[in-house]
Amino acid sequence: MEKMMNVLKPKPNPQQQLRDWQRRLRQECRKFERQIRDIEREEKNVQKAIKDAAKRNDMVSAKALAKEIVRSRKTVNRLHENKAQVNSISMHLGESIAIARTVGHLSKSAEVMKLVNNLMKAPEMATTMREFSKEMTKAGVIEEIVNDALDSALDSEDIEEEIEEEVDKVLTAIAGETAAQLPEAVRKERMKQPARVQEVRREEEAIAEGVDDEEELEEIRARLAKVRS
């Protein structure tokens, strides 16, 4: 029965198909915009937590939070890139509408195929783009894509090195004056101290401040991870 319904169901004409893709791509762009706003809003809370940690001379927590900000900013940059590529796909589809109106059928687009392939490698877009890829291949807009996903695992170490390089810049920008008041040797030593020593120090400071810094740090990390995902 279902097969019969699919046979009887009229197929959308090329212009309708392209407009439907454009509508769905606009929805994806709005998702990116919301996620970017959520991350940037949460970053303000993290910046305050970094300043508070620096005032307590808790540079380990400050550095850990700065690393989370660096990760979040990289996510925001990636989301902007994804949004730009999605907009580019929509633009090329608009050009295809004009061509389809003239020739009566959809033509293949190497540029759309390239952009779809790039977005299939982005964690946020992999599932959506796989669906688009199937539909566009079936409609004759692109060739079938063979996705070779090997970039993320190989690049993870390089990304971690980049993050470490950015952490000090973020610390200086957010808590520069407070952090600068600590002698360089003391600041570096506190960042290198064993975890247990730092834990004891944080517990002592938490009692004095009436705040559980470790729980607060984990809560901030959890919120950032949520808005980045």
Side-chain angles (χ1 to χ4, degrees), residues 28-44 72-84 124 224 227-229:
E28 292 301 321
C29 284
R30 286 193 287 272
K31 288 180 186 177
F32 290 146
E33 290 165 0
R34 285 195 297 271
Q35 191 173 358
I36 289 168
R37 285 196 300 271
D38 289 344
I39 293 173
E40 290 177 341
R41 183 167 53 246
E42 189 59 39
E43 182 180 318
K44 293 178 182 178
S72 293
R73 289 178 180 176
K74 285 185 176 297
T75 299
V76 166
N77 289 339
R78 189 174 68 248
L79 290 172
H80 279 299
E81 291 173 3
N82 291 348
K83 181 185 171 186
E124 304 85 0
L224 279 172
V227 295
R228 286 200 300 257
S229 62

PDB file of all heavy atoms in Angstrom, residues 28-44 72-84 124 224 227-229:
ATOM      1  N   GLU A  28      18.648  25.655   8.905  1.00  0.00           N
ATOM      2  CA  GLU A  28      19.955  25.290   9.460  1.00  0.00           C
ATOM      3  C   GLU A  28      20.741  26.540   9.853  1.00  0.00           C
ATOM      4  O   GLU A  28      21.405  26.569  10.894  1.00  0.00           O
ATOM      5  CB  GLU A  28      20.751  24.463   8.451  1.00  0.00           C
ATOM      6  CG  GLU A  28      20.189  23.083   8.183  1.00  0.00           C
ATOM      7  CD  GLU A  28      20.105  22.223   9.436  1.00  0.00           C
ATOM      8  OE1 GLU A  28      21.036  22.284  10.268  1.00  0.00           O
ATOM      9  OE2 GLU A  28      19.110  21.500   9.587  1.00  0.00           O
ATOM     10  N   CYS A  29      20.662  27.571   9.027  1.00  0.00           N
ATOM     11  CA  CYS A  29      21.369  28.820   9.334  1.00  0.00           C
ATOM     12  C   CYS A  29      20.849  29.441  10.618  1.00  0.00           C
ATOM     13  O   CYS A  29      21.624  29.956  11.431  1.00  0.00           O
ATOM     14  CB  CYS A  29      21.217  29.813   8.175  1.00  0.00           C
ATOM     15  SG  CYS A  29      22.265  29.436   6.753  1.00  0.00           S
ATOM     16  N   ARG A  30      19.533  29.381  10.811  1.00  0.00           N
ATOM     17  CA  ARG A  30      18.969  29.936  12.043  1.00  0.00           C
ATOM     18  C   ARG A  30      19.432  29.140  13.269  1.00  0.00           C
ATOM     19  O   ARG A  30      19.653  29.699  14.345  1.00  0.00           O
ATOM     20  CB  ARG A  30      17.440  29.968  11.959  1.00  0.00           C
ATOM     21  CG  ARG A  30      16.912  31.069  11.038  1.00  0.00           C
ATOM     22  CD  ARG A  30      15.423  31.287  11.221  1.00  0.00           C
ATOM     23  NE  ARG A  30      14.634  30.210  10.643  1.00  0.00           N
ATOM     24  CZ  ARG A  30      14.216  30.182   9.379  1.00  0.00           C
ATOM     25  NH1 ARG A  30      14.518  31.194   8.570  1.00  0.00           N
ATOM     26  NH2 ARG A  30      13.496  29.177   8.932  1.00  0.00           N
ATOM     27  N   LYS A  31      19.590  27.818  13.098  1.00  0.00           N
ATOM     28  CA  LYS A  31      20.123  27.001  14.195  1.00  0.00           C
ATOM     29  C   LYS A  31      21.538  27.438  14.549  1.00  0.00           C
ATOM     30  O   LYS A  31      21.905  27.535  15.723  1.00  0.00           O
ATOM     31  CB  LYS A  31      20.122  25.520  13.797  1.00  0.00           C
ATOM     32  CG  LYS A  31      18.754  24.877  13.749  1.00  0.00           C
ATOM     33  CD  LYS A  31      18.877  23.405  13.346  1.00  0.00           C
ATOM     34  CE  LYS A  31      17.529  22.746  13.147  1.00  0.00           C
ATOM     35  NZ  LYS A  31      17.679  21.339  12.676  1.00  0.00           N
ATOM     36  N   PHE A  32      22.360  27.683  13.535  1.00  0.00           N
ATOM     37  CA  PHE A  32      23.726  28.155  13.772  1.00  0.00           C
ATOM     38  C   PHE A  32      23.712  29.462  14.551  1.00  0.00           C
ATOM     39  O   PHE A  32      24.483  29.653  15.495  1.00  0.00           O
ATOM     40  CB  PHE A  32      24.468  28.365  12.449  1.00  0.00           C
ATOM     41  CG  PHE A  32      24.797  27.091  11.715  1.00  0.00           C
ATOM     42  CD1 PHE A  32      24.798  27.056  10.325  1.00  0.00           C
ATOM     43  CD2 PHE A  32      25.114  25.935  12.395  1.00  0.00           C
ATOM     44  CE1 PHE A  32      25.100  25.890   9.642  1.00  0.00           C
ATOM     45  CE2 PHE A  32      25.417  24.756  11.718  1.00  0.00           C
ATOM     46  CZ  PHE A  32      25.408  24.741  10.332  1.00  0.00           C
ATOM     47  N   GLU A  33      22.847  30.379  14.126  1.00  0.00           N
ATOM     48  CA  GLU A  33      22.783  31.693  14.778  1.00  0.00           C
ATOM     49  C   GLU A  33      22.393  31.567  16.244  1.00  0.00           C
ATOM     50  O   GLU A  33      22.979  32.237  17.115  1.00  0.00           O
ATOM     51  CB  GLU A  33      21.778  32.584  14.039  1.00  0.00           C
ATOM     52  CG  GLU A  33      22.264  33.016  12.660  1.00  0.00           C
ATOM     53  CD  GLU A  33      21.158  33.585  11.805  1.00  0.00           C
ATOM     54  OE1 GLU A  33      19.995  33.647  12.294  1.00  0.00           O
ATOM     55  OE2 GLU A  33      21.430  33.966  10.645  1.00  0.00           O
ATOM     56  N   ARG A  34      21.422  30.695  16.550  1.00  0.00           N
ATOM     57  CA  ARG A  34      21.022  30.489  17.949  1.00  0.00           C
ATOM     58  C   ARG A  34      22.156  29.891  18.764  1.00  0.00           C
ATOM     59  O   ARG A  34      22.405  30.311  19.902  1.00  0.00           O
ATOM     60  CB  ARG A  34      19.788  29.580  18.012  1.00  0.00           C
ATOM     61  CG  ARG A  34      18.492  30.246  17.620  1.00  0.00           C
ATOM     62  CD  ARG A  34      17.290  29.398  18.058  1.00  0.00           C
ATOM     63  NE  ARG A  34      17.265  28.102  17.398  1.00  0.00           N
ATOM     64  CZ  ARG A  34      16.662  27.873  16.236  1.00  0.00           C
ATOM     65  NH1 ARG A  34      16.043  28.847  15.604  1.00  0.00           N
ATOM     66  NH2 ARG A  34      16.667  26.657  15.703  1.00  0.00           N
ATOM     67  N   GLN A  35      22.847  28.916  18.187  1.00  0.00           N
ATOM     68  CA  GLN A  35      23.943  28.271  18.910  1.00  0.00           C
ATOM     69  C   GLN A  35      25.077  29.252  19.172  1.00  0.00           C
ATOM     70  O   GLN A  35      25.669  29.267  20.259  1.00  0.00           O
ATOM     71  CB  GLN A  35      24.461  27.068  18.124  1.00  0.00           C
ATOM     72  CG  GLN A  35      25.409  26.193  18.933  1.00  0.00           C
ATOM     73  CD  GLN A  35      25.790  24.919  18.203  1.00  0.00           C
ATOM     74  OE1 GLN A  35      25.320  24.659  17.085  1.00  0.00           O
ATOM     75  NE2 GLN A  35      26.654  24.126  18.804  1.00  0.00           N
ATOM     76  N   ILE A  36      25.387  30.096  18.190  1.00  0.00           N
ATOM     77  CA  ILE A  36      26.432  31.106  18.368  1.00  0.00           C
ATOM     78  C   ILE A  36      26.051  32.072  19.480  1.00  0.00           C
ATOM     79  O   ILE A  36      26.880  32.402  20.344  1.00  0.00           O
ATOM     80  CB  ILE A  36      26.674  31.871  17.048  1.00  0.00           C
ATOM     81  CG1 ILE A  36      27.372  30.949  16.029  1.00  0.00           C
ATOM     82  CG2 ILE A  36      27.518  33.125  17.282  1.00  0.00           C
ATOM     83  CD1 ILE A  36      27.404  31.498  14.620  1.00  0.00           C
ATOM     84  N   ARG A  37      24.786  32.516  19.497  1.00  0.00           N
ATOM     85  CA  ARG A  37      24.341  33.437  20.554  1.00  0.00           C
ATOM     86  C   ARG A  37      24.443  32.779  21.930  1.00  0.00           C
ATOM     87  O   ARG A  37      24.870  33.406  22.902  1.00  0.00           O
ATOM     88  CB  ARG A  37      22.900  33.893  20.298  1.00  0.00           C
ATOM     89  CG  ARG A  37      22.754  34.915  19.194  1.00  0.00           C
ATOM     90  CD  ARG A  37      21.393  35.600  19.264  1.00  0.00           C
ATOM     91  NE  ARG A  37      20.298  34.660  19.129  1.00  0.00           N
ATOM     92  CZ  ARG A  37      19.749  34.301  17.970  1.00  0.00           C
ATOM     93  NH1 ARG A  37      20.199  34.830  16.841  1.00  0.00           N
ATOM     94  NH2 ARG A  37      18.751  33.441  17.923  1.00  0.00           N
ATOM     95  N   ASP A  38      24.053  31.499  22.012  1.00  0.00           N
ATOM     96  CA  ASP A  38      24.115  30.794  23.300  1.00  0.00           C
ATOM     97  C   ASP A  38      25.555  30.682  23.806  1.00  0.00           C
ATOM     98  O   ASP A  38      25.828  30.888  24.992  1.00  0.00           O
ATOM     99  CB  ASP A  38      23.517  29.392  23.165  1.00  0.00           C
ATOM    100  CG  ASP A  38      22.000  29.414  22.982  1.00  0.00           C
ATOM    101  OD1 ASP A  38      21.393  30.466  23.270  1.00  0.00           O
ATOM    102  OD2 ASP A  38      21.438  28.398  22.540  1.00  0.00           O
ATOM    103  N   ILE A  39      26.474  30.346  22.907  1.00  0.00           N
ATOM    104  CA  ILE A  39      27.882  30.210  23.297  1.00  0.00           C
ATOM    105  C   ILE A  39      28.447  31.551  23.753  1.00  0.00           C
ATOM    106  O   ILE A  39      29.131  31.639  24.782  1.00  0.00           O
ATOM    107  CB  ILE A  39      28.718  29.655  22.129  1.00  0.00           C
ATOM    108  CG1 ILE A  39      28.317  28.205  21.829  1.00  0.00           C
ATOM    109  CG2 ILE A  39      30.217  29.715  22.464  1.00  0.00           C
ATOM    110  CD1 ILE A  39      28.969  27.625  20.591  1.00  0.00           C
ATOM    111  N   GLU A  40      28.171  32.610  22.994  1.00  0.00           N
ATOM    112  CA  GLU A  40      28.708  33.933  23.336  1.00  0.00           C
ATOM    113  C   GLU A  40      28.110  34.455  24.642  1.00  0.00           C
ATOM    114  O   GLU A  40      28.799  35.115  25.423  1.00  0.00           O
ATOM    115  CB  GLU A  40      28.438  34.904  22.190  1.00  0.00           C
ATOM    116  CG  GLU A  40      29.275  34.583  20.948  1.00  0.00           C
ATOM    117  CD  GLU A  40      28.970  35.484  19.772  1.00  0.00           C
ATOM    118  OE1 GLU A  40      27.884  36.120  19.777  1.00  0.00           O
ATOM    119  OE2 GLU A  40      29.805  35.540  18.842  1.00  0.00           O
ATOM    120  N   ARG A  41      26.838  34.136  24.902  1.00  0.00           N
ATOM    121  CA  ARG A  41      26.220  34.539  26.167  1.00  0.00           C
ATOM    122  C   ARG A  41      26.867  33.807  27.337  1.00  0.00           C
ATOM    123  O   ARG A  41      27.165  34.407  28.375  1.00  0.00           O
ATOM    124  CB  ARG A  41      24.717  34.258  26.106  1.00  0.00           C
ATOM    125  CG  ARG A  41      23.965  34.715  27.365  1.00  0.00           C
ATOM    126  CD  ARG A  41      22.455  34.709  27.143  1.00  0.00           C
ATOM    127  NE  ARG A  41      21.978  33.431  26.643  1.00  0.00           N
ATOM    128  CZ  ARG A  41      21.454  33.244  25.438  1.00  0.00           C
ATOM    129  NH1 ARG A  41      21.344  34.248  24.591  1.00  0.00           N
ATOM    130  NH2 ARG A  41      21.023  32.041  25.064  1.00  0.00           N
ATOM    131  N   GLU A  42      27.125  32.517  27.166  1.00  0.00           N
ATOM    132  CA  GLU A  42      27.744  31.730  28.237  1.00  0.00           C
ATOM    133  C   GLU A  42      29.193  32.172  28.470  1.00  0.00           C
ATOM    134  O   GLU A  42      29.687  32.114  29.603  1.00  0.00           O
ATOM    135  CB  GLU A  42      27.693  30.238  27.887  1.00  0.00           C
ATOM    136  CG  GLU A  42      28.115  29.316  29.007  1.00  0.00           C
ATOM    137  CD  GLU A  42      27.259  29.475  30.252  1.00  0.00           C
ATOM    138  OE1 GLU A  42      26.030  29.658  30.126  1.00  0.00           O
ATOM    139  OE2 GLU A  42      27.841  29.434  31.358  1.00  0.00           O
ATOM    140  N   GLU A  43      29.856  32.630  27.403  1.00  0.00           N
ATOM    141  CA  GLU A  43      31.253  33.065  27.554  1.00  0.00           C
ATOM    142  C   GLU A  43      31.375  34.227  28.536  1.00  0.00           C
ATOM    143  O   GLU A  43      32.361  34.334  29.274  1.00  0.00           O
ATOM    144  CB  GLU A  43      31.837  33.478  26.206  1.00  0.00           C
ATOM    145  CG  GLU A  43      33.305  33.882  26.319  1.00  0.00           C
ATOM    146  CD  GLU A  43      33.921  34.298  24.993  1.00  0.00           C
ATOM    147  OE1 GLU A  43      33.650  33.620  23.980  1.00  0.00           O
ATOM    148  OE2 GLU A  43      34.676  35.282  24.977  1.00  0.00           O
ATOM    149  N   LYS A  44      30.387  35.096  28.591  1.00  0.00           N
ATOM    150  CA  LYS A  44      30.427  36.225  29.532  1.00  0.00           C
ATOM    151  C   LYS A  44      30.466  35.727  30.969  1.00  0.00           C
ATOM    152  O   LYS A  44      31.178  36.287  31.812  1.00  0.00           O
ATOM    153  CB  LYS A  44      29.217  37.137  29.304  1.00  0.00           C
ATOM    154  CG  LYS A  44      29.239  37.849  27.965  1.00  0.00           C
ATOM    155  CD  LYS A  44      27.998  38.709  27.770  1.00  0.00           C
ATOM    156  CE  LYS A  44      28.022  39.387  26.399  1.00  0.00           C
ATOM    157  NZ  LYS A  44      26.795  40.190  26.156  1.00  0.00           N
ATOM    158  N   SER A  72      35.456  27.172  22.883  1.00  0.00           N
ATOM    159  CA  SER A  72      34.163  27.727  22.478  1.00  0.00           C
ATOM    160  C   SER A  72      34.311  28.684  21.300  1.00  0.00           C
ATOM    161  O   SER A  72      33.483  28.692  20.383  1.00  0.00           O
ATOM    162  CB  SER A  72      33.506  28.450  23.658  1.00  0.00           C
ATOM    163  OG  SER A  72      33.156  27.531  24.672  1.00  0.00           O
ATOM    164  N   ARG A  73      35.364  29.491  21.322  1.00  0.00           N
ATOM    165  CA  ARG A  73      35.579  30.428  20.212  1.00  0.00           C
ATOM    166  C   ARG A  73      35.899  29.692  18.919  1.00  0.00           C
ATOM    167  O   ARG A  73      35.500  30.137  17.833  1.00  0.00           O
ATOM    168  CB  ARG A  73      36.689  31.416  20.575  1.00  0.00           C
ATOM    169  CG  ARG A  73      36.248  32.411  21.648  1.00  0.00           C
ATOM    170  CD  ARG A  73      37.346  33.371  22.049  1.00  0.00           C
ATOM    171  NE  ARG A  73      36.875  34.302  23.064  1.00  0.00           N
ATOM    172  CZ  ARG A  73      37.653  35.211  23.668  1.00  0.00           C
ATOM    173  NH1 ARG A  73      38.943  35.293  23.343  1.00  0.00           N
ATOM    174  NH2 ARG A  73      37.141  36.013  24.584  1.00  0.00           N
ATOM    175  N   LYS A  74      36.618  28.586  19.033  1.00  0.00           N
ATOM    176  CA  LYS A  74      36.881  27.780  17.839  1.00  0.00           C
ATOM    177  C   LYS A  74      35.577  27.198  17.296  1.00  0.00           C
ATOM    178  O   LYS A  74      35.373  27.111  16.082  1.00  0.00           O
ATOM    179  CB  LYS A  74      37.890  26.667  18.151  1.00  0.00           C
ATOM    180  CG  LYS A  74      39.324  27.169  18.292  1.00  0.00           C
ATOM    181  CD  LYS A  74      40.293  26.027  18.470  1.00  0.00           C
ATOM    182  CE  LYS A  74      41.725  26.548  18.509  1.00  0.00           C
ATOM    183  NZ  LYS A  74      42.127  27.204  17.246  1.00  0.00           N
ATOM    184  N   THR A  75      34.697  26.790  18.208  1.00  0.00           N
ATOM    185  CA  THR A  75      33.391  26.277  17.790  1.00  0.00           C
ATOM    186  C   THR A  75      32.602  27.359  17.076  1.00  0.00           C
ATOM    187  O   THR A  75      31.980  27.107  16.034  1.00  0.00           O
ATOM    188  CB  THR A  75      32.592  25.762  19.004  1.00  0.00           C
ATOM    189  OG1 THR A  75      33.313  24.696  19.629  1.00  0.00           O
ATOM    190  CG2 THR A  75      31.217  25.264  18.584  1.00  0.00           C
ATOM    191  N   VAL A  76      32.614  28.576  17.631  1.00  0.00           N
ATOM    192  CA  VAL A  76      31.894  29.693  17.005  1.00  0.00           C
ATOM    193  C   VAL A  76      32.445  29.976  15.609  1.00  0.00           C
ATOM    194  O   VAL A  76      31.679  30.188  14.655  1.00  0.00           O
ATOM    195  CB  VAL A  76      31.980  30.964  17.889  1.00  0.00           C
ATOM    196  CG1 VAL A  76      31.535  32.206  17.110  1.00  0.00           C
ATOM    197  CG2 VAL A  76      31.130  30.799  19.140  1.00  0.00           C
ATOM    198  N   ASN A  77      33.768  29.964  15.473  1.00  0.00           N
ATOM    199  CA  ASN A  77      34.377  30.187  14.149  1.00  0.00           C
ATOM    200  C   ASN A  77      33.931  29.117  13.163  1.00  0.00           C
ATOM    201  O   ASN A  77      33.631  29.415  11.998  1.00  0.00           O
ATOM    202  CB  ASN A  77      35.903  30.192  14.261  1.00  0.00           C
ATOM    203  CG  ASN A  77      36.433  31.429  14.956  1.00  0.00           C
ATOM    204  OD1 ASN A  77      35.749  32.453  15.021  1.00  0.00           O
ATOM    205  ND2 ASN A  77      37.629  31.340  15.492  1.00  0.00           N
ATOM    206  N   ARG A  78      33.889  27.865  13.642  1.00  0.00           N
ATOM    207  CA  ARG A  78      33.463  26.771  12.768  1.00  0.00           C
ATOM    208  C   ARG A  78      31.997  26.931  12.362  1.00  0.00           C
ATOM    209  O   ARG A  78      31.628  26.677  11.216  1.00  0.00           O
ATOM    210  CB  ARG A  78      33.680  25.429  13.464  1.00  0.00           C
ATOM    211  CG  ARG A  78      33.470  24.230  12.535  1.00  0.00           C
ATOM    212  CD  ARG A  78      33.826  22.919  13.201  1.00  0.00           C
ATOM    213  NE  ARG A  78      32.914  22.556  14.266  1.00  0.00           N
ATOM    214  CZ  ARG A  78      33.232  22.519  15.560  1.00  0.00           C
ATOM    215  NH1 ARG A  78      34.459  22.808  15.956  1.00  0.00           N
ATOM    216  NH2 ARG A  78      32.342  22.173  16.471  1.00  0.00           N
ATOM    217  N   LEU A  79      31.166  27.379  13.315  1.00  0.00           N
ATOM    218  CA  LEU A  79      29.748  27.575  13.014  1.00  0.00           C
ATOM    219  C   LEU A  79      29.552  28.683  11.981  1.00  0.00           C
ATOM    220  O   LEU A  79      28.695  28.580  11.098  1.00  0.00           O
ATOM    221  CB  LEU A  79      28.979  27.898  14.297  1.00  0.00           C
ATOM    222  CG  LEU A  79      28.829  26.754  15.302  1.00  0.00           C
ATOM    223  CD1 LEU A  79      28.230  27.251  16.604  1.00  0.00           C
ATOM    224  CD2 LEU A  79      27.978  25.626  14.732  1.00  0.00           C
ATOM    225  N   HIS A  80      30.353  29.749  12.102  1.00  0.00           N
ATOM    226  CA  HIS A  80      30.286  30.829  11.096  1.00  0.00           C
ATOM    227  C   HIS A  80      30.683  30.306   9.717  1.00  0.00           C
ATOM    228  O   HIS A  80      30.054  30.655   8.709  1.00  0.00           O
ATOM    229  CB  HIS A  80      31.194  31.996  11.498  1.00  0.00           C
ATOM    230  CG  HIS A  80      30.590  32.926  12.513  1.00  0.00           C
ATOM    231  ND1 HIS A  80      29.428  33.627  12.269  1.00  0.00           N
ATOM    232  CD2 HIS A  80      30.991  33.279  13.762  1.00  0.00           C
ATOM    233  CE1 HIS A  80      29.127  34.374  13.332  1.00  0.00           C
ATOM    234  NE2 HIS A  80      30.060  34.170  14.238  1.00  0.00           N
ATOM    235  N   GLU A  81      31.723  29.478   9.684  1.00  0.00           N
ATOM    236  CA  GLU A  81      32.160  28.893   8.401  1.00  0.00           C
ATOM    237  C   GLU A  81      31.072  27.985   7.815  1.00  0.00           C
ATOM    238  O   GLU A  81      30.795  28.030   6.614  1.00  0.00           O
ATOM    239  CB  GLU A  81      33.458  28.100   8.604  1.00  0.00           C
ATOM    240  CG  GLU A  81      34.667  28.963   8.914  1.00  0.00           C
ATOM    241  CD  GLU A  81      35.889  28.141   9.282  1.00  0.00           C
ATOM    242  OE1 GLU A  81      35.791  26.888   9.235  1.00  0.00           O
ATOM    243  OE2 GLU A  81      36.924  28.724   9.630  1.00  0.00           O
ATOM    244  N   ASN A  82      30.472  27.168   8.691  1.00  0.00           N
ATOM    245  CA  ASN A  82      29.396  26.292   8.232  1.00  0.00           C
ATOM    246  C   ASN A  82      28.230  27.097   7.676  1.00  0.00           C
ATOM    247  O   ASN A  82      27.664  26.760   6.625  1.00  0.00           O
ATOM    248  CB  ASN A  82      28.900  25.402   9.380  1.00  0.00           C
ATOM    249  CG  ASN A  82      29.914  24.359   9.803  1.00  0.00           C
ATOM    250  OD1 ASN A  82      30.905  24.128   9.116  1.00  0.00           O
ATOM    251  ND2 ASN A  82      29.683  23.744  10.942  1.00  0.00           N
ATOM    252  N   LYS A  83      27.884  28.165   8.387  1.00  0.00           N
ATOM    253  CA  LYS A  83      26.767  29.002   7.944  1.00  0.00           C
ATOM    254  C   LYS A  83      27.062  29.623   6.580  1.00  0.00           C
ATOM    255  O   LYS A  83      26.192  29.672   5.702  1.00  0.00           O
ATOM    256  CB  LYS A  83      26.502  30.102   8.977  1.00  0.00           C
ATOM    257  CG  LYS A  83      25.333  31.008   8.614  1.00  0.00           C
ATOM    258  CD  LYS A  83      25.198  32.158   9.600  1.00  0.00           C
ATOM    259  CE  LYS A  83      24.179  33.165   9.094  1.00  0.00           C
ATOM    260  NZ  LYS A  83      24.113  34.369   9.943  1.00  0.00           N
ATOM    261  N   ALA A  84      28.304  30.092   6.395  1.00  0.00           N
ATOM    262  CA  ALA A  84      28.684  30.694   5.114  1.00  0.00           C
ATOM    263  C   ALA A  84      28.575  29.675   3.978  1.00  0.00           C
ATOM    264  O   ALA A  84      28.103  29.999   2.880  1.00  0.00           O
ATOM    265  CB  ALA A  84      30.101  31.252   5.202  1.00  0.00           C
ATOM    266  N   GLU A 124      28.435  19.161  13.271  1.00  0.00           N
ATOM    267  CA  GLU A 124      27.091  19.735  13.398  1.00  0.00           C
ATOM    268  C   GLU A 124      26.215  19.461  12.187  1.00  0.00           C
ATOM    269  O   GLU A 124      24.985  19.527  12.268  1.00  0.00           O
ATOM    270  CB  GLU A 124      27.165  21.260  13.609  1.00  0.00           C
ATOM    271  CG  GLU A 124      27.999  21.710  14.785  1.00  0.00           C
ATOM    272  CD  GLU A 124      29.484  21.836  14.437  1.00  0.00           C
ATOM    273  OE1 GLU A 124      29.842  21.562  13.269  1.00  0.00           O
ATOM    274  OE2 GLU A 124      30.256  22.198  15.336  1.00  0.00           O
ATOM    275  N   LEU A 224      29.115  24.972  29.004  1.00  0.00           N
ATOM    276  CA  LEU A 224      29.789  25.269  27.745  1.00  0.00           C
ATOM    277  C   LEU A 224      29.701  24.092  26.778  1.00  0.00           C
ATOM    278  O   LEU A 224      29.480  24.269  25.586  1.00  0.00           O
ATOM    279  CB  LEU A 224      31.262  25.628  27.996  1.00  0.00           C
ATOM    280  CG  LEU A 224      31.526  27.071  28.446  1.00  0.00           C
ATOM    281  CD1 LEU A 224      32.987  27.203  28.850  1.00  0.00           C
ATOM    282  CD2 LEU A 224      31.191  28.058  27.360  1.00  0.00           C
ATOM    283  N   VAL A 227      26.196  24.011  25.129  1.00  0.00           N
ATOM    284  CA  VAL A 227      25.904  24.983  24.067  1.00  0.00           C
ATOM    285  C   VAL A 227      26.793  24.760  22.853  1.00  0.00           C
ATOM    286  O   VAL A 227      26.455  25.171  21.741  1.00  0.00           O
ATOM    287  CB  VAL A 227      26.054  26.443  24.568  1.00  0.00           C
ATOM    288  CG1 VAL A 227      25.035  26.745  25.631  1.00  0.00           C
ATOM    289  CG2 VAL A 227      27.472  26.727  25.067  1.00  0.00           C
ATOM    290  N   ARG A 228      27.964  24.086  23.040  1.00  0.00           N
ATOM    291  CA  ARG A 228      28.830  23.820  21.889  1.00  0.00           C
ATOM    292  C   ARG A 228      28.351  22.628  21.086  1.00  0.00           C
ATOM    293  O   ARG A 228      28.682  22.484  19.906  1.00  0.00           O
ATOM    294  CB  ARG A 228      30.272  23.548  22.353  1.00  0.00           C
ATOM    295  CG  ARG A 228      31.021  24.785  22.801  1.00  0.00           C
ATOM    296  CD  ARG A 228      32.525  24.532  22.754  1.00  0.00           C
ATOM    297  NE  ARG A 228      32.938  23.447  23.600  1.00  0.00           N
ATOM    298  CZ  ARG A 228      33.541  23.591  24.788  1.00  0.00           C
ATOM    299  NH1 ARG A 228      33.774  24.788  25.269  1.00  0.00           N
ATOM    300  NH2 ARG A 228      33.919  22.532  25.477  1.00  0.00           N
ATOM    301  N   SER A 229      27.582  21.725  21.726  1.00  0.00           N
ATOM    302  CA  SER A 229      27.195  20.487  21.041  1.00  0.00           C
ATOM    303  C   SER A 229      26.023  20.707  20.082  1.00  0.00           C
ATOM    304  O   SER A 229      25.313  21.679  20.174  1.00  0.00           O
ATOM    305  CB  SER A 229      26.813  19.440  22.070  1.00  0.00           C
ATOM    306  OG  SER A 229      25.698  19.874  22.829  1.00  0.00           O
TER     307      SER A 229
END
